[in-house]
Amino acid sequence: TALAKIEVRVYNLSGMTTGRSATFAVAAPSFPDSVIAITGVGSRPDAFCYDSIDDRVFVACYSDSSLAVIDGVSNYRTGSVDVGGFSSSLLWDPSNNCVYAASETRNTVTVINAATLAILDTIAVGSKPIAMCWNRTANKIYVANNRDSSVTIIDASTNQVAATVAVGPSPV
């Protein structure tokens, strides 16, 4: 066994955020880390999320205004979804198996059925939505609207805006 920490670096248009875990014990792996596949996705991949129900990875291709869909078994691109605006934030909600894609230029969040890739809804939010998170307990999606210093709260069971809350300047 060995002691380890996990560090995650997330890059977006606003810069980089780093998160670190506490120290924990791990068994030494029986194989070295290695690249198992390289898959083309589109122009300027900016965000991604993993759908563990359908074993898919969704990648926001900022300049293409689309999401690339990668099969988690084959590691090949198997589809795409046109979301019609520059997406820089993605979120997967396992409670409804939907992917939420925030469009900075349209000030919307597009809701996509992760199994069928059908667009279910387009929700108007604040100006320049650039980050999202899901609250499992309340089943709410929180959208940081960078340009108008607000957070839009979406009820994930109805895909309706529950509230918009003013916050400090330029939330990320």
Side-chain angles (χ1 to χ4, degrees), residues 84-131:
F86 299 123
S87 290
S88 62
S89 180
L90 294 179
L91 177 137
W92 175 66
D93 177 353
S95 72
N96 61 13
N97 198 23
C98 287
V99 172
Y100 292 77
S103 169
E104 287 186 21
T105 55
R106 290 191 166 184
N107 301 323
T108 59
V109 172
T110 302
V111 184
I112 300 129
N113 180 306
T116 66
L117 306 182
I119 294 177
L120 302 178
D121 214 338
T122 302
I123 304 163
V125 295
S127 181
K128 195 177 179 188
I130 63 167

Side-chain angles (χ1 to χ4, degrees), residues 133-150:
C133 71
W134 174 58
N135 177 333
R136 183 177 93 171
T137 303
N139 200 24
K140 304 277 194 259
I141 308 291
Y142 295 84
V143 183
N145 304 307
N146 184 265
R147 195 162 285 134
D148 67 5
S149 302
S150 70

Side-chain angles (χ1 to χ4, degrees), residues 5-59:
K5 285 186 178 185
I6 296 174
E7 179 173 296
V8 177
R9 292 184 182 151
V10 178
Y11 297 88
N12 64 27
L13 297 176
S14 301
M16 180 193 75
T17 300
T18 302
R20 290 183 187 90
S21 73
T23 302
F24 57 93
V26 294
S30 59
F31 56 89
D33 291 338
S34 60
V35 174
I36 59 169
I38 297 175
T39 302
V41 292
S43 181
R44 197 171 156 200
D46 199 50
F48 63 95
C49 67
Y50 175 66
D51 161 10
S52 63
I53 293 174
D54 301 300
D55 198 10
R56 292 178 172 169
V57 175
F58 290 81
V59 182

